[in-house]
Amino acid sequence: MKSTIPDNGVPITPAAGNGGDRQEASLHGEILLRLRDYVVEGNIPEGGRIPERQLCEMLGISRTPLREALKVLAAEGLIELLPNRGARVRQLSQRDLEELFDVMAGLESLAGRLACEAISDAEITAIEQLHYEMYGHYLHRDMHGYFQANQRIHESIVAAARNETLKTAYANFAGRIRRVRYSANFARKRQRWAEAMREHEAILDALRRRAGSELSDILFQHLRNKRTAALEHLTEPQEPAPAAP
């Protein structure tokens, strides 16, 4: 299958949109979503303290709902709560990243194999729609939208595996590497973003054919490639992402 993904282009991250008035539960979800995106997209450095006052002003909320959202991010592994000293972004060592990506590769590989045994036609159609949505974000260099659709694809495959133990384990580890999984798309030693899109074309093709063994291998290698890109990005001189033209 010939890929249609171009190699050129630099990821660009747009600012997240503002949420409107919501009921309390919806408002909590909106705060959590925006705060998670803010951390994942690298607006606070690795190991950096969470600027609670600044975030409250940015989100237009008080300290109480912010701290409730921070507790969720701590449970996901994105941040660390410091006793009587606020919170900071969790900093992962190279060894941490290697181990976490290997575990995630194993979990997604198993999910792909099981999903091919149980997935419905409707679920495949929904994943196809997410894939084309993600491709549209890729073409527009919208890293924020691309990453959201990308994560929903991976989560949908895990959900289609029909294994709650696997789903719980996946959610636990996914949160811990969500931030570095996002930043890996900026690795400059190779065109990782285009490479990831081509891998997703292969993922979708194998899923359509319900080729469990093949999909398992593709997903395992996909995570291994992401690990390599993440480690490359970790050792690269860091520069701000360019502004949109």
Side-chain angles (χ1 to χ4, degrees):
M1 182 178 63
K2 182 175 174 58
S3 173
T4 59
I5 306 302
D7 286 313
N8 61 328
V10 178
I12 293 174
T13 305
N18 292 324
D21 293 333
R22 308 287 176 87
Q23 294 180 346
E24 186 174 349
S26 297
L27 181 59
H28 173 74
E30 180 74 15
I31 292 167
L32 179 60
L33 178 63
R34 291 188 61 196
L35 186 59
R36 183 189 291 118
D37 288 346
Y38 191 80
V39 174
V40 166
E41 293 173 11
N43 292 291
I44 306 171
E46 293 282 334
R49 295 291 290 272
I50 304 295
E52 292 190 14
R53 180 178 299 177
Q54 176 185 328
L55 290 173
C56 286
E57 293 175 356
M58 182 185 79
L59 298 170
I61 58 174
S62 66
R63 289 282 180 94
T64 299
L66 177 70
R67 287 175 176 171
E68 288 301 312
L70 290 175
K71 289 178 184 177
V72 176
L73 296 189
E76 292 178 355
L78 272 174
I79 69 170
E80 295 176 299
L81 299 179
L82 307 173
N84 303 316
R85 292 184 293 126
R88 68 184 175 196
V89 175
R90 182 181 292 274
Q91 190 166 19
L92 299 172
S93 69
Q94 179 172 327
R95 184 59 183 166
D96 290 334
L97 292 178
E98 289 173 348
E99 292 180 355
L100 284 167
F101 270 104
D102 277 350
V103 170
M104 287 293 289
L107 291 174
E108 292 209 21
S109 175
L110 175 59
R113 187 180 295 273
L114 295 177
C116 286
E117 297 174 359
I119 196 167
S120 67
D121 290 343
E123 285 172 312
I124 292 177
T125 298
I127 291 173
E128 285 178 333
Q129 292 172 343
L130 284 171
H131 176 85
Y132 294 125
E133 177 186 328
M134 181 177 69
Y135 184 50
H137 292 308
Y138 169 81
L139 292 176
H140 288 90
R141 297 297 180 260
D142 174 5
M143 176 58 78
H144 176 86
Y146 166 87
F147 188 71
Q148 298 302 317
N150 179 290
Q151 293 299 284
R152 288 166 63 196
I153 289 170
H154 286 276
E155 290 164 1
S156 296
I157 292 173
V158 171
R162 309 285 194 271
N163 187 306
E164 288 301 315
T165 301
L166 172 61
K167 186 176 178 180
T168 300
Y170 177 84
N172 178 42
F173 288 106
R176 296 172 66 183
I177 62 169
R178 186 176 283 115
R179 176 185 168 99
V180 72
R181 199 166 179 167
Y182 178 92
S183 65
N185 292 291
F186 294 94
R188 292 192 298 274
K189 291 184 180 178
R190 53 198 170 129
Q191 293 292 336
R192 176 56 200 162
W193 200 2
E195 181 183 68
M197 272 303 312
R198 286 191 289 270
E199 289 166 6
H200 266 271
E201 288 184 332
I203 288 169
L204 181 59
D205 179 61
L207 189 62
R208 284 168 172 155
R209 293 183 286 108
R210 291 178 169 82
S213 179
E214 182 180 339
L215 180 59
S216 177
D217 290 343
I218 292 169
L219 284 167
F220 187 87
Q221 191 58 49
H222 179 62
L223 267 291
R224 273 297 182 89
N225 292 342
K226 180 73 77 173
R227 183 186 79 164
T228 299
L231 293 174
E232 286 176 357
H233 184 69
L234 186 69
T235 58
E236 287 172 347
Q238 299 302 302
E239 299 174 2

